[in-house]
Amino acid sequence: MKHYRTRILAIAVIAFIAAFTGALTAAPAPATPNTGVTSTILGTATFDQIHVNAHTRQPDLWKAQIKTRGLSDAYVVDNKFAPGAATGWHSHPGPSLILVVAGTGTDYMGDDPTCTPHVYVTGAGFVDPGGTEVHLLRNETSGPAETIAVQLLPGGADRRIDAPAPRNCPF
């Protein structure tokens, strides 16, 4: 009978500790929503391994290299931003070339300790390196904005991975 009481007490203590520890464990922060952005996939294709070395006739002037292993999915995505619209914090598993085709887009990088805005106007472009790079793109103007994203991602991977707001950029 004594061992029985000891076991019950031990089980009760373990249950209490587990419940208390669970109460202290922070729940994961929720992802930030996409607000006011309409995305349309204009095209997609799957590529086998890519190995491209391109350069001008004078190699010192310009060179590009793309090398992948395994299948890759390519997307062309049209993103339309209402005034004040934002993508929400997110990442992509591969790189994206972003072309601002109308208005102004302001990009924030989650790993930037100062949360410095990077402003891009019509005709400008920037590279989202993808991977673990979390970012948010926002239209901070009173007019509409539009971007075209050309994305190269691992075959079969999710195109977008939602993320919580980083502590240095709480908005």
Side-chain angles (χ1 to χ4, degrees):
M1 189 64 121
K2 185 177 179 182
H3 293 296
Y4 178 72
R5 285 186 201 156
T6 305
R7 284 186 187 161
I8 290 177
L9 181 59
I11 290 170
V13 168
I14 291 170
F16 174 78
I17 291 171
F20 184 73
T21 303
L24 292 180
T25 303
T32 56
N34 171 340
T35 56
V37 180
T38 303
S39 296
T40 305
I41 296 176
L42 301 177
T44 185
T46 299
F47 291 84
D48 202 353
Q49 290 189 166
I50 301 170
H51 189 143
V52 175
N53 282 310
H55 54 82
T56 61
R57 291 186 188 270
Q58 297 174 338
D60 295 339
L61 295 179
W62 184 87
K63 184 177 181 179
Q65 183 177 22
I66 301 173
K67 187 174 182 180
T68 65
R69 184 179 310 165
L71 296 178
S72 295
D73 291 333
Y75 291 88
V76 178
V77 183
D78 183 11
N79 298 298
K80 293 184 177 171
F81 294 76
T87 60
W89 290 98
H90 68 282
S91 65
H92 306 281
S96 301
L97 300 174
I98 313 295
L99 295 74
V100 180
V101 297
T104 302
T106 303
D107 192 44
Y108 294 90
M109 299 302 297
D111 65 352
D112 177 358
T114 62
C115 197
T116 304
H118 300 274
V119 179
Y120 301 97
V121 299
T122 301
F126 63 97
V127 176
D128 170 6
T132 61
E133 301 288 329
V134 174
H135 76 121
L136 175 141
L137 187 60
R138 182 169 30 196
N139 177 2
E140 297 179 341
T141 72
S142 59
E146 183 176 1
T147 64
I148 301 289
V150 179
Q151 300 175 304
L152 186 62
L153 311 173
D158 290 334
R159 193 181 67 75
R160 175 189 160 108
I161 302 161
D162 291 333
R167 290 185 179 173
N168 58 310
C169 293
F171 50 78

